[in-house]
Amino acid sequence: MEKMKSVPELFGSLVFNDRVMRERLPKDVYKAVHKTIENGSHLELDVANSVAAAMKEWAVENGATHFTHWFQPMTGLTAEKHDGFISPEPDGSVIMDFSGKELVKGEPDASSFPSGGLRATFEARGYTAWDPSSPAFIKDRSLYIPTAFCSYGGEALDKKTPLLRSMSALNHEAVKVLHLLGMTDVTHVTTTVGSEQEYFLVSKDLYKKRKDLLFTGRTLIGANAPKGQEMEDHYFGVLKPKVSAYMHDLDEELWKLGIPVKTKHNEVAPGQHELAPVFETANIAVDHNQLTMEVMKKVADRHNYACLLHEKPFEGINGSGKHNNWSLSTNTGINLLKPGKHPAQNLPFLTFLIAVITAVDEYADLLRVSVASPGNDHRLGANEAPPAIISMFVGDELAKVLESIEQGSDFEDHGKVMYSGAEVLPHISVDTTDRNRTSPFAFTGNKFEFRMPGSALSVANPNIVLNTAVADALLDIYEELKETPPEELNGKLMEVLRSRLKAHKKVLFNGNGYTEEWVEEAARRGLDNLKSLPDAMPRWISDKSVSLFTRHGILTREEIFSRYDILLENYVKAIHIESLTMQDMVRKDFTEGLLAYMKDLTQEAAQKKALLPELACFLETERIRQLDEAAGAMMKALCRLEADTAAAEQEEDLLARAKCYESTVLADMDALRSIVDGAELLIPDDYLPYPTYSRLLFSLR
Ligand code: ADP
Ligand code: MG
C-alpha cells in the first residue's frame, strides 16, 4: 500500500510554486520571474523559454500530458482549452514540447464568450496572457496556466485583468500615503483576501430527479419540510460520517493544489456547510476560490453528493453566501488594518480605516452591483443575509476612537497626536468578540469582512470595486496632504480625517441590520437600498462610476458598458430558464403526481361505494375537491407565467426587460409556487416523480 502522505508533503504537490521554481530555474531566470511578479515588468522571450522548459519537465514528471491557459471570462466560471505537449519528430516519434511563446500567450477562439459587444464578430479572436503572479498547477493531467483574457483591441474580457489593475492602483495610492506618513521603507502594499465559502450537499440520486436543481441550481417548487433550521441543531453540529469523508477528501484535493483550506463546519441550515481558507494575495485568493468551487463539485460527485453553490437553493431556510475577508499588508509585514495597542495613536491604521469608510460610503452602490446576481437577489434583505443596504460595523471601541477624532478638539491643541480617552482605550484584540453578524461590511479585528457576496459568485468583482474605491479615497487624502510641511502634517491629517468622518459616518451602523427599523433609519440617512440587480445596475454606468474606474485605469468606458450588458443579459437569461423549467415541472412532473393521486382517490372511493353504497367517502371526496380547486388555480397561474414570460422577452431595452422579469415573471413564479406548494402538502410523497424537501434536506448520512 502506498504510504499516506503527510499534509506538508501533500500541500502544493501539484503546484509550480516558488519552491519548485527556485529548485528548477537557473538563478538569473528565477530572479527575472520574480521581478516580473513584483513589478509587472515584461518577461524576455529567452526567460519565458527557460521557464516553459522547466514547467513542462516538472509537469510531465507529475503525469501531465497537456497544458491549458486557464481564464475567467465574464460567465463567472472558468474556461480552459487543452493542448498536448506532444510534438511529432521526423522519425515518427514524438517529443514533449512547450515553448515560452506558448506559455506567455494563447489564442482561444473567443467568439462564444460574452463580451457585451466589445468584440465585434469579425474580430472574434481574443488572447490569453500568462499571469505569473498566480502559480501554475496540475489538474486532471493538464498543466493549468492562470491567464488574463483580452480582446485583440486590448479590452479586458475577463475578471482577472481589472482585478490585477485594481490591486496595482491600490498599491500605488497606498504607498504614496504611507511615504507621506513617514513609512518610507514600504515599497509595496498587497491586498489580502480570504473567502469563506458556504454550500449545500444533497444526495446525487435525489438531485438528478429534480429538473429545477439540474437546470437552475435551486428548487422552484417544493413545500417546506415539517422541520427546518429552527432548532439550530445543525450549526457547528457533529459532522455525519459520510459528509466528513467528503470534507476530508476535499481538503486533500485542495491542499494538493496549494489551496490553504483550514476550517470546515456545519452551517445553520440542514445540509449546509462552510469551508474557509487561510487568506492569500487577492489575485491568488480569487483564482483559488474559483478552483475550490470546481473541486467541491467534482469531489461531491465522487461521494454521491451534489454540491449546491446557488445562493438560495431552498425556500424557507437560509441561503449560502461567501464572506470576503479583506485587508492590506505592506512588504515590511504590517497589516494596515491592525489597530495595535493604541489605535487612537496609530496614524496609518486610522488613515486606512477612514479611507475604507469613505470608500464604502461613497461607492456603496457599486459594491452593491458587485454582488448582484439573480441568485443573490433572493438572499439579500431576506432576514438571513445582510440587507441590500450597505452599512459598516466597526465595533464599540473603534466607534469611540472615531467619535473622538470627529469631535477632535483635543488633539489640535496638543499639536501632536494625543487626545483624551485614547490612552485608556482597551487593546483591540484580533479575536474581538463583539461581532455583528447582521452587518454587510464588518470590521473584524484586523480586516474587513464583506458579507454580501453570494456563494456562487466570483469574488473578483467585489474586490475590484473595493480596491478601486479605497485607492480613490487614499488618492484624495494624499492630494490634500501632499503640500503640507512635515511639522504640520499630523494636525492637517487629523483635520482631513475628521472631514471624511463627518461626511461619511452615516454609513456606520452598529445595530441589528435585519430589522425593519434599520431599513427606515437607513432611508432617513440617505443610504441606498437597491433591492435587486435591475435596481442597482444603472449605478454601474453612472458618470460617477465611469469617472472612478477610468481615473484609476481599472476599466475603460467601453469595458464598463460591456459589463453592464453582460450582467443584465445573464440576469434575464437565468430567470427565463427558471421560468421555463418551472412551467415544465408544474405542467408535467407535478401534474403527473397530482393526477395519479386523484385517480387513486377516485378509484378508492368508487370501490368503497361499490361495497357499501351508503358511504359518503368524506376523506376522498374532500381531498379530491381541494386538489381540483388547487389545480384550477394552478392552471391560471401557469398561463399567466407563460404569457408574462413571453411578454418580457418582447421588451427591447435590456434594462426594461430585466425589470419586467423581476416585476412580473418572478412575481408570477412566486404566486404559482405558493399554489403548488400548498397542493403538494396534500399529496403523499410517493406520487411525486421528484423528491420533496424532507428527503432532500434530511436524508444525508
Ligand atoms: P470567522 O470568525 O469569520 O470565521 P476567521 O478569523 O476564522 O473569522 O477568518 C475568516 C477568514 O478571514 C479566513 O479566511 C482568514 O484567513 C481571513 N483573514 C484573516 N486575516 C486576514 C487578512 N489580514 N486579510 C484577509 N483575510 C484575512
Ligand atoms: Mg466570517
Side-chain angles (χ1 to χ4, degrees):
M1 210 179 93
E2 201 187 338
K3 190 175 150 279
M4 281 256 289
K5 277 194 175 157
S6 70
V7 176
E9 275 177 305
L10 211 60
F11 191 82
S13 57
L14 296 176
V15 184
F16 194 73
N17 54 22
D18 196 61
R19 186 181 50 78
V20 181
M21 283 203 277
R22 206 166 343 127
E23 272 169 24
R24 294 187 175 239
L25 295 178
K27 250 207 175 89
D28 52 329
V29 173
Y30 175 76
K31 273 195 189 147
V33 174
H34 254 265
K35 231 176 91 196
T36 303
I37 295 174
E38 275 150 30
N39 315 330
S41 56
H42 182 71
L43 203 64
E44 297 301 329
L45 191 60
D46 57 333
V47 176
N49 277 333
S50 176
V51 178
M55 251 189 204
K56 181 212 65 187
E57 203 177 274
W58 169 84
V60 170
E61 276 171 31
N62 282 284
T65 56
H66 287 67
F67 69 94
T68 177
H69 275 203
W70 183 65
F71 56 103
Q72 295 164 30
M74 298 301 300
T75 54
L77 304 170
T78 57
E80 48 195 70
K81 176 189 158 221
H82 300 257
D83 282 300
F85 286 126
I86 63 165
S87 166
E89 290 287 276
D91 65 357
S93 64
V94 294
I95 56 163
M96 299 299 255
D97 194 31
F98 183 50
S99 70
K101 241 172 85 186
E102 286 171 303
L103 165 64
V104 172
K105 190 168 172 181
E107 295 189 20
D109 176 8
S111 51
S112 294
F113 291 111
S115 77
L118 267 186
R119 199 181 349 76
T121 29
F122 62 85
E123 185 50 294
R125 287 181 310 163
Y127 70 91
T128 49
W130 180 34
D131 166 20
S133 65
S134 182
F137 55 92
I138 295 172
K139 190 165 70 74
D140 304 326
R141 305 192 66 190
S142 273
L143 170 68
Y144 278 69
I145 300 154
T147 57
F149 179 44
C150 296
S151 78
Y152 253 81
E155 291 102 350
L157 295 175
D158 69 346
K159 306 201 170 193
K160 187 190 268 283
T161 308
L163 177 65
L164 290 171
R165 290 174 185 161
S166 74
M167 288 166 68
S168 130
L170 183 48
N171 166 44
H172 184 73
E173 302 307 337
V175 168
K176 270 166 38 190
V177 168
L178 289 175
H179 284 188
L180 207 60
L181 299 181
M183 290 170 70
T184 44
D185 54 339
V186 173
T187 55
H188 198 94
V189 170
T190 308
T191 324
T192 51
V193 166
S195 50
E196 301 161 66
Q197 173 77 49
E198 291 180 341
Y199 62 100
F200 278 90
L201 289 179
V202 296
S203 142
K204 183 161 73 173
D205 292 339
L206 302 180
Y207 168 83
K208 279 188 183 158
K209 289 185 184 141
R210 293 206 56 132
K211 289 175 188 158
D212 46 8
L213 285 181
L214 277 171
F215 295 144
T216 73
R218 72 175 179 116
T219 54
L220 299 169
I221 52 178
N224 284 332
K227 181 179 179 208
Q229 64 192 41
E230 57 281 82
M231 304 295 284
E232 298 183 335
D233 49 358
H234 195 254
Y235 192 53
F236 279 45
V238 178
L239 299 177
K240 298 199 166 109
K242 284 191 177 158
V243 172
S244 173
Y246 163 75
M247 288 179 171
H248 190 74
D249 202 3
L250 178 61
D251 279 346
E252 288 199 347
E253 291 297 326
L254 294 174
W255 288 336
K256 282 189 220 164
L257 292 168
I259 302 175
V261 281
K262 195 170 159 73
T263 47
K264 51 184 178 187
H265 59 79
N266 286 350
E267 257 303 328
V268 177
Q272 192 184 32
H273 310 281
E274 180 184 300
L275 149 169
V278 176
F279 67 94
E280 302 175 279
T281 304
N283 170 35
I284 297 175
V286 169
D287 282 359
H288 278 173
N289 181 251
Q290 292 294 118
L291 208 48
T292 299
M293 290 194 282
E294 189 190 313
V295 175
M296 285 166 86
K297 290 188 170 178
K298 201 172 74 181
V299 175
D301 192 65
R302 253 193 342 242
H303 288 252
N304 286 316
Y305 290 130
C307 173
L308 308 181
L309 292 174
H310 194 283
E311 283 81 9
K312 191 69 185 174
F314 304 103
E315 205 58 43
I317 57 173
N318 276 6
S320 302
K322 177 145 46 194
H323 293 174
N324 188 74
N325 294 273
W326 178 96
S327 190
L328 295 170
S329 70
T330 67
N331 62 307
T332 53
I334 297 169
N335 177 349
L336 291 168
L337 291 178
K338 192 171 171 176
K341 280 207 169 71
H342 304 287
Q345 291 162 34
N346 185 342
L347 283 187
F349 167 72
L350 289 178
T351 307
F352 279 81
L353 175 71
I354 291 171
V356 178
I357 294 172
T358 306
V360 171
D361 184 45
E362 193 66 43
Y363 295 104
D365 52 354
L366 300 184
L367 282 169
R368 171 65 185 91
V369 173
S370 79
V371 298
S373 77
N376 213 19
D377 275 4
H378 293 292
R379 215 180 125 248
L380 299 177
N383 287 337
E384 56 170 85
I389 306 161
I390 303 226
S391 66
M392 287 173 94
F393 166 83
V394 293
D396 290 340
E397 297 99 325
L398 270 191
K400 276 187 210 136
V401 175
L402 294 177
E403 219 170 278
S404 75
I405 294 178
E406 200 208 324
Q407 286 156 4
S409 49
D410 286 325
F411 45 83
E412 261 186 354
D413 302 341
H414 291 73
K416 58 179 180 173
V417 192
M418 181 83 104
Y419 32 104
S420 66
E423 282 300 317
V424 297
L425 284 171
H427 170 59
I428 297 184
S429 73
V430 173
D431 292 315
T432 174
T433 44
D434 64 334
R435 291 288 178 90
N436 181 330
R437 291 278 161 204
T438 66
S439 176
F441 206 103
F443 183 73
T444 47
N446 60 355
K447 61 185 190 286
F448 274 102
E449 185 170 341
F450 185 29
R451 303 199 177 111
M452 282 169 95
S455 48
L457 291 180
S458 157
V459 275
N461 282 350
N463 286 301
I464 293 168
V465 172
L466 193 51
N467 292 347
T468 310
V470 174
D472 197 60
L474 290 170
L475 171 65
D476 265 0
I477 293 175
Y478 176 81
E479 288 298 320
E480 265 191 66
L481 290 178
K482 66 179 179 192
E483 311 289 351
T484 316
E487 65 280 9
E488 291 167 27
L489 193 75
N490 282 358
K492 174 83 178 164
L493 174 65
M494 278 304 160
E495 216 176 275
V496 169
L497 296 184
R498 189 177 325 128
S499 76
R500 297 296 184 280
L501 267 180
K502 278 206 163 79
H504 298 292
K505 67 174 180 190
K506 68 178 193 294
V507 78
L508 299 177
F509 177 62
N510 281 1
N512 183 353
Y514 288 7
T515 61
E516 199 43 48
E517 290 80 67
W518 168 234
V519 175
E520 288 159 20
E521 162 71 13
R524 274 195 294 278
R525 292 189 189 187
L527 301 179
D528 283 322
N529 186 358
L530 300 165
K531 288 194 177 135
S532 69
L533 183 143
D535 280 350
M537 284 318 290
R539 303 300 184 90
W540 182 253
I541 50 169
S542 67
D543 289 346
K544 192 173 159 193
S545 165
V546 173
S547 156
L548 172 74
F549 288 120
T550 52
R551 183 159 63 246
H552 294 277
I554 312 301
L555 292 166
T556 64
R557 190 185 170 81
E558 290 69 33
E559 288 169 345
I560 293 167
F561 276 76
S562 88
R563 267 149 226 259
Y564 171 83
D565 283 355
I566 291 169
L567 270 165
L568 281 172
E569 253 166 36
N570 175 58
Y571 179 86
V572 160
K573 283 181 192 163
I575 300 177
H576 186 72
I577 294 171
E578 287 186 350
S579 168
L580 296 187
T581 304
M582 185 178 200
Q583 290 174 37
D584 185 86
M585 273 185 89
V586 171
R587 207 182 289 120
K588 294 189 196 147
D589 304 4
F590 182 75
T591 303
E592 176 192 318
L594 177 74
L595 289 179
Y597 182 43
M598 284 173 86
K599 184 173 153 204
D600 282 0
L601 284 173
T602 317
Q603 278 177 358
E604 255 166 56
Q607 278 167 9
K608 281 188 196 164
K609 275 196 182 274
L611 197 66
L612 288 171
E614 70 275 21
L615 286 184
C617 297
F618 283 118
L619 264 180
E620 293 86 349
T621 347
E622 180 54 18
R623 188 59 61 92
I624 291 171
R625 203 189 50 71
Q626 284 175 319
L627 289 173
D628 192 54
E629 200 174 293
M634 179 184 93
M635 280 170 63
K636 250 197 217 149
L638 186 59
C639 281
R640 190 172 177 150
L641 174 61
E642 270 178 285
D644 283 342
T645 306
E649 278 299 281
Q650 294 305 313
E651 201 59 65
E652 286 281 324
D653 176 72
L654 201 47
L655 182 63
R657 200 183 319 149
K659 287 201 160 146
C660 208
Y661 267 98
E662 187 205 352
S663 60
T664 64
V665 177
L666 280 181
D668 291 350
M669 286 171 64
D670 278 347
L672 176 58
R673 177 172 191 150
S674 81
I675 298 164
V676 171
D677 289 0
E680 191 193 283
L681 291 172
L682 303 174
I683 304 173
D685 286 6
D686 297 349
Y687 282 90
L688 297 170
Y690 51 83
T692 58
Y693 269 32
S694 300
R695 286 183 67 206
L696 276 173
L697 289 167
F698 291 97
S699 59
L700 278 194
R701 293 281 162 270

